[in-house]
Amino acid sequence: MAVYDTVRKVTTHVLYEMKVRGEKIAMLTAYDYTFAKILDRAGVDIILVGDSASNVMAGHLTTLPITLDQMIYHAASVVRGVQRALVIVDLPFGTYQGNSLEALQSSIRIMKETGAGGVKLEGGSEVRESVMRILSAGIPVMGHLGLTPQSIHKFGTYTVRAREKAEAEKLINDALLLEELGCFAIVLEKIPATLAAEVASKVRIPIIGIGAGQKVDGQVLVLHDMLGLTTEFSPRFLRRYHNLYDEITGAVKAYISDVRSLDFPNEKEQY
Ligand code: KIV
């Protein structure tokens, strides 16, 4: 029997059950087949094809430049490596804010051309029509509130959001709205832990935090940051589980040295 016949795939319903049982949800980003396969076999529940690909894969300063075609390329590669995890794809900037029909068409392209299990978009009441229209086509939607990187030019800074009462109240109302509309989960990014805990206790759908403390239903990190492939980005919430930047540098330097010294290839490594 093939492995995929024995694996219970993670669905939005499985995530809901995990929240009910108090079982924490582990989510990471991935942008390619090889990493997606490693994450999936390691047991990650959700793989997010984040528009952070714009930063870590393409080297842009913000998430704004990445296109729908580029996101679809990354997402299709990820889906080919995954058997169990739920794959969610970010709707990139400019593909859903304009009007709800554009949001629906962008989401349909993602679902048809990648085989992913749903889409994520940023914002609350501002994107209400888009969320409703995507959901009406049967496409699962994950919300994203708090620090929403596609609005970085409006915020002007990547600092903690919703410290002020008015912004905190709007965030709670947006979370309740997204739940009411039918979103299956919400990412809360870089907000006070007490506020995130309050939201998680007020909604029945899973809340996934990044820089939102422990009292939420799951956590997400950008893969390249938690593996230590990136070095320049060190917010307080980021735990680095490895220092791959230095390890890869060491391996590449050893290779260069071996090539130059004629140590590589040796007799066993030739035909
Ligand atoms: O694009 C991304 O990687 C994200 C995560 C930070 C949640 O949206």
Side-chain angles (χ1 to χ4, degrees), residues 29 48 50-52 90 120 144 187 189 210 220 222:
T29 66
L48 172 67
D51 58 1
S52 48
D90 261 335
K120 174 164 87 58
H144 185 157
V187 167
E189 181 164 352
I210 172 164
V220 57
V222 169

Side-chain angles (χ1 to χ4, degrees), residues 145-146 161-176 188 191-192 194-196 198-199 202:
L145 300 171
R161 303 302 314 176
R163 279 200 198 276
E164 306 300 327
K165 194 161 173 253
E167 195 179 338
E169 277 172 8
K170 173 166 167 33
L171 189 142
I172 293 171
N173 289 334
D174 280 342
L176 291 169
L188 292 184
I191 62 167
T194 48
L195 176 61
E198 188 181 342
V199 174
K202 279 196 159 124

